[in-house]
């Protein structure tokens, strides 16, 4: 069933735009012409906005004055494009881009820079908060040219009108790093972590959902910010190239909401859960932790999740096992991890890497951390026999 279909009453989460007063009757007629629309969310059909979307729609004129345009759905003069379409409509309005709801629009939203058509993402942050300061520092002209710097570039900072406490960070639109099949793990992400650590900054959330890639060469026509497997939100004819054929592809660390600057040792004074990864041993045990060793585990565990979807990447298990060691002191620094990664012959091993037939970019680990590690070790031993014997 489509995510647009209502499985419970969520009317309180919608804001009526009153742009189509006859929408209920029109929906009845659409259902009569196409029974597949039975149960379709009437709020979406009527052109209502999700509560999280209202903030951005209200902000659209201001963003336009700052040189950024939102998608048609969020413009003041928008009317649902299916309003005057001949019946029957599609199964769930999938043929209309402006039916796509930004369900996770509370803090992050997409836009287009008018001057050059560049697709960007905007994030609401505290104007004088740690995230804004660290993001500006890492993206400053002085460090932007450093080849080790793989933190997301900050293209613009827009103060919010009628607010003295919030601003928008403007960044390039990036793709989740696992959305296109791998042949090898590049060194950009550990290098980016090494760069941050050299500046005494711990990410503290270097996890799966914060690892991104610049897909401009892999998907030359671009991708829709919500329906990433389409270039326009509607058609599924997306042209894609293998990563290796358009190398180098750049990878980035994003989201510095939990990042902190730690100029002095000792660091092992922090406690409590931190970041997306809930399997970090010292966090689970509620023990004081070193935020820099935390980063290493988080990135290593993200690589472990990636490897569970492939044959061949298991050959990197010595590196992954070291990065996810239960004892933080046994984890390598990012620079040491880079040395370990460089010791593998990527050209030879890339020929051994193959996706599982059932691979999906949203497939995640199902077992416990210990079970996943045990599975990885067993599969790695088998892979080594196949390749080197």
């Amino acid at each position: 069933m489509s995510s647009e279909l209502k499985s419970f009453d969520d009317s309180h989460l919608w804001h009526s735009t009153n742009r189509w007063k006859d929408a209920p009757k029109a929906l009845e007629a659409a259902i009569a012409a196409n029974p597949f629309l039975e149960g379709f969310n009437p709020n979406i059909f009527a052109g209502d906005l999700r509560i999280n979307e209202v903030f951005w729609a209200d902000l659209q004129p201001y963003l336009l004055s700052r040189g950024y345009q939102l998608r048609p759905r969020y413009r003041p003069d928008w009317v649902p494009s299916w309003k005057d379409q001949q019946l029957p409509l599609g199964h769930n309005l999938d043929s209309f881009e402006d039916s796509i709801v930004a369900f996770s629009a509370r803090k992050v939203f997409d836009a287009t820079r008018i001057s050059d058509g560049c697709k960007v993402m905007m994030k609401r942050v505290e104007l004088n908060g740690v995230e804004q300061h660290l993001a500006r520092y890492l993206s400053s002209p002085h460090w932007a040219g450093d080849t080790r710097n793989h933190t997301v570039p900050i293209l613009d900072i827009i103060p919010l009108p009628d607010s003295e406490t919030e601003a928008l960070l403007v960044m390039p639109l990036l793709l989740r790093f696992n959305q296109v099949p791998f042949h090898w793990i590049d060194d950009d992400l550990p290098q980016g972590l090494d760069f941050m650590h050299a500046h005494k900054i711990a990410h503290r959330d270097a996890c799966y959902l914060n690892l991104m890639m610049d897909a401009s060469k892999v998907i030359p026509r671009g991708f829709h910010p919500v329906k990433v497997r389409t270039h326009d939100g509607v058609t599924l004819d997306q042209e894609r190239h293998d990563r290796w054929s358009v190398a180098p592809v750049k990878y980035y660390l994003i989201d510095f909401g939990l990042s902190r600057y730690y100029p002095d040792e000792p660091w092992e004074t922090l406690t409590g859960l931190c970041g997306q990864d809930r399997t970090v041993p010292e966090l689970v045990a509620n023990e004081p932790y070193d935020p820099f060793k935390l980063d290493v585990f988080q990135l290593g565990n993200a690589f472990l999740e990636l490897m569970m979807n492939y044959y061949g990447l298991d050959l990197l298990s010595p590196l992954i096992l070291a990065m996810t060691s239960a004892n933080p002191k046994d984890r390598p620094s990012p620079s040491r991890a880079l040395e370990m990664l460089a010791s593998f012959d990527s050209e030879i091993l890339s020929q051994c890497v193959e996706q599982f037939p059932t691979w999906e970019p949203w497939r995640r680990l199902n077992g416990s951390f210990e079970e996943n590690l045990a599975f990885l070790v067993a599969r790695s031993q088998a892979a080594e026999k196949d390749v080197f014997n």
Side-chain angles (χ1 to χ4, degrees):
M1 297 288 284
S2 169
S3 61
E4 289 88 347
L5 299 184
K6 291 187 68 176
S7 57
F8 59 93
D9 182 11
D10 64 349
S11 57
H12 64 289
L13 300 176
W14 294 88
H15 172 76
S16 176
T17 60
N18 293 316
R19 291 174 178 168
W20 189 5
K21 297 186 183 300
D22 294 331
K25 291 182 179 180
L27 179 56
E28 290 180 9
I31 293 172
N34 179 8
F36 283 103
L37 286 174
E38 181 69 41
F40 190 81
N41 191 317
N43 297 101
I44 296 178
F45 190 87
D48 294 340
L49 296 179
R50 196 78 170 172
I51 294 298
N52 287 342
E53 296 178 296
V54 174
F55 168 84
W56 300 97
D58 290 344
L59 198 62
Q60 189 273 347
Y62 172 70
L63 293 177
L64 189 63
S65 73
R66 298 294 300 239
Y68 298 93
Q69 181 60 285
L70 300 184
R71 286 181 279 125
R73 177 180 176 85
Y74 306 103
R75 301 173 192 174
D77 59 350
W78 174 68
V79 175
S81 59
W82 55 91
K83 178 180 177 181
D84 298 318
Q85 292 295 312
Q86 186 175 357
L87 298 178
L89 300 175
H91 286 188
N92 52 12
L93 302 189
D94 276 353
S95 58
F96 303 96
E97 190 280 335
D98 54 336
S99 72
I100 299 173
V101 178
F103 284 98
S104 58
R106 189 172 68 89
K107 284 193 172 183
V108 180
F109 211 74
D110 65 279
T112 299
R113 189 166 60 190
I114 297 172
S115 62
D116 58 2
C118 175
K119 304 292 185 182
V120 301
M121 291 297 289
M122 298 180 172
K123 182 178 182 181
R124 293 174 66 178
V125 298
E126 293 182 16
L127 184 59
N128 294 308
V130 173
E131 179 172 11
Q132 188 262 148
H133 286 298
L134 290 180
R136 286 179 57 188
Y137 173 78
L138 293 168
S139 190
S140 65
H142 185 72
W143 300 117
D146 193 318
T147 57
R148 300 171 302 154
N149 188 355
H150 294 281
T151 58
V152 60
I154 304 302
L155 307 178
D156 197 359
I157 298 178
I158 304 176
L160 285 179
D162 304 319
S163 174
E164 297 180 355
T165 61
E166 285 189 302
L168 299 178
L169 293 182
V170 182
M171 301 160 280
L173 176 64
L174 302 174
L175 187 68
R176 191 75 43 73
F177 86 123
N178 66 324
Q179 289 285 345
V180 180
F182 277 86
H183 287 282
W184 183 245
I185 291 180
D186 198 271
D187 61 6
D188 280 12
L189 294 171
Q191 193 173 67
L193 210 54
D194 188 41
F195 173 81
M196 291 186 67
H197 289 191
H199 290 262
K200 301 184 182 298
I201 299 172
H203 191 287
R204 301 208 307 160
D205 199 11
C207 301
Y208 214 74
L209 300 181
N210 289 334
L211 311 178
M212 310 296 283
M213 62 179 286
D214 175 3
S216 58
K217 293 191 292 186
V218 177
I219 310 175
R221 293 176 64 192
F223 60 93
H224 190 275
V226 178
K227 293 190 174 182
V228 298
R229 290 197 165 273
T230 72
H231 70 87
D232 59 1
V234 176
T235 55
L236 295 173
D237 61 345
Q238 192 178 69
E239 175 191 0
R240 292 190 172 200
H241 300 305
D242 288 333
R243 298 172 194 249
W244 62 267
S245 69
V246 293
V249 174
K250 290 204 69 172
Y251 298 85
Y252 293 97
L253 292 158
I254 66 167
D255 190 355
F256 308 114
L258 295 176
S259 301
R260 294 294 183 271
Y261 173 62
Y262 296 102
D264 303 309
E265 297 186 50
W267 302 298
E268 293 92 339
T269 58
L270 306 170
T271 58
L273 294 176
C274 186
Q276 305 156 36
D277 193 337
R278 295 295 190 256
T279 67
V280 184
E282 56 267 39
L283 300 190
V284 173
N286 199 30
E287 298 174 349
Y289 66 87
D290 178 339
F292 298 97
K293 294 296 185 180
L294 169 69
D295 281 353
V296 173
F297 183 98
Q298 290 173 330
L299 184 60
N301 207 20
F303 286 162
L304 171 59
E305 293 197 37
L306 177 68
M307 291 166 62
M308 297 293 286
N309 293 303
Y310 289 85
Y311 295 111
L313 282 179
D314 337 52
L315 297 172
L316 290 176
S317 60
L319 169 63
I320 306 305
L321 291 171
M323 294 179 71
T324 55
S325 172
N327 185 347
K329 291 183 170 54
D330 292 336
R331 297 171 198 161
S333 65
S335 57
R336 174 56 186 151
L338 285 167
E339 293 175 1
M340 296 176 69
L341 188 59
S343 69
F344 296 95
D345 190 323
S346 60
E347 184 174 348
I348 292 177
L349 293 184
S350 65
Q351 300 173 16
C352 306
V353 176
E354 180 182 357
Q355 275 184 307
F356 286 156
T358 58
W359 179 88
E360 295 174 338
W362 51 84
R363 180 173 177 262
R364 305 298 294 274
L365 299 178
N366 294 320
S368 67
F369 176 70
E370 292 76 12
E371 290 170 338
N372 293 329
L373 272 182
F375 176 77
L376 171 62
V377 171
R379 210 177 71 188
S380 174
Q381 293 171 344
E384 288 178 2
K385 292 180 181 179
D386 291 340
V387 174
F388 297 111
N389 290 344

